[in-house]
Amino acid sequence: MAGSAALIAPFAWGDQLPRLSGGRIALRPIDDADAAGLLAIFGDPEVVRHWSRPPLSNLVAAATLVDEIQEGFLRRHAFHWGIVDAASSELIGTCMLGSLTFRHRRAEVGYILRRDRWGQGLASEALAVLFGFCFDKLGLHRLEADVDPDNQRSLRLLERLGFQREGRLRERWNTYGTPRDGIFLGLLRSEWRRAGPT
Ligand SMILES: CC(C)(COP(=O)(O)OP(=O)(O)OC[C@H]1O[C@@H](n2cnc3c(N)ncnc32)[C@H](O)[C@@H]1OP(=O)(O)O)[C@@H](O)C(=O)NCCC(=O)NCCS
């Protein structure tokens, strides 16, 4: 019984998210100096095509995103890591956990990569590291994702890592004024394929 109690005890986050690493990438907390890096990612209309917010237009908007990310962590509401190139330490993307509940041992995942780093397997490596943390350190049993049906890259990424499609939620999102369905996917700890470098 003591073992199961330990598993459901909330993770002690401390002042900031833990740094995680594996393969060609590392995951680290987002800080104030990351506004320009986030602008290069979230300012690209192609990258945020399936997002429910317009692309960031300038550094002020990017600094506001940094504030939102930090506020999300302080409230233990959303947990965003920066994805950095392990060789250069350059910020190349972000990944996050939302709707985290230790009671039900699940969370929703989100991720984004700067466009010039697509097609290199880096998002797969970042998520493999994140999932290892979720299943091994947080003791989660289930991860979820909700993807636009046209977002083929994202669907391929998740399915390569073992996610299964569980349903289609009709007109779940309002994306740039258009109702969009969401493909709901889930990954169980018991079926997680350790496809990444961890
Ligand atoms: C979703 C997203 C992160 C996927 O990025 P990605 O680079 O395609 O994903 P991966 O890291 O898994 O890379 C896989 C691709 O790299 C290729 N690749 C090249 N070298 C590789 C290597 N060493 N290892 C693995 N794959 C490699 C694979 O063949 C694959 O290409 P393919 O999809 O054309 O077959 C990216 O498209 C993105 O940021 N999109 C915008 C944000 C977004 O939509 N987020 C999700 C919201 S639900």
Side-chain angles (χ1 to χ4, degrees):
M1 289 305 278
S4 71
L7 263 182
I8 60 170
F11 185 78
W13 301 97
D15 292 341
Q16 60 178 19
L17 291 173
R19 185 184 169 93
L20 310 169
S21 59
R24 294 170 290 166
I25 58 88
L27 307 183
R28 61 146 175 85
I30 301 280
D31 62 38
D32 293 346
D34 286 323
L38 291 179
L39 182 58
I41 301 162
F42 290 86
D44 181 336
E46 176 60 20
V47 173
V48 297
R49 190 149 66 95
H50 303 290
W51 210 27
S52 42
R53 293 160 57 162
L56 297 182
S57 51
N58 54 40
L59 265 180
V60 174
T64 303
L65 179 60
V66 172
D67 290 345
E68 286 175 18
I69 287 172
Q70 292 176 342
E71 177 77 10
F73 176 71
L74 289 175
R75 291 175 174 274
R76 304 295 193 257
H77 169 68
F79 304 87
H80 286 83
W81 280 263
I83 303 172
V84 298
D85 182 313
S88 65
S89 297
E90 183 187 14
L91 184 74
I92 58 169
T94 72
C95 58
M96 62 86 67
L97 299 176
S99 305
L100 172 62
T101 154
F102 283 103
R103 182 175 172 79
H104 299 293
R105 302 189 193 181
R106 65 171 143 78
E108 188 170 336
V109 299
Y111 41 84
I112 191 165
L113 209 59
R114 207 176 64 206
R115 187 150 47 129
D116 65 322
R117 305 310 297 269
W118 291 8
Q120 301 168 25
L122 294 167
S124 294
E125 289 189 11
L127 291 189
V129 169
L130 179 64
F131 296 171
F133 175 70
C134 289
F135 291 132
D136 298 338
K137 293 285 193 290
L138 298 184
L140 301 187
H141 280 189
R142 174 182 161 84
L143 294 171
E144 300 175 344
D146 183 352
V147 181
D148 188 285
D150 286 349
N151 196 346
Q152 291 303 323
R153 274 189 177 275
S154 182
L155 290 167
R156 275 204 302 277
L157 164 61
L158 292 172
E159 291 182 327
R160 206 166 26 238
L161 290 169
F163 271 78
Q164 293 189 23
R165 297 186 193 212
E166 297 177 337
R168 184 168 182 135
L169 284 68
R170 295 171 304 153
E171 298 193 1
R172 184 146 197 263
W173 301 100
N174 181 20
T175 306
Y176 304 120
T178 305
R180 298 290 303 169
D181 295 354
I183 305 284
F184 211 76
L185 302 98
L187 173 68
L188 304 185
R189 178 185 185 173
S190 54
E191 66 195 13
W192 182 46
R193 294 199 293 270
R194 288 172 184 268
T198 51

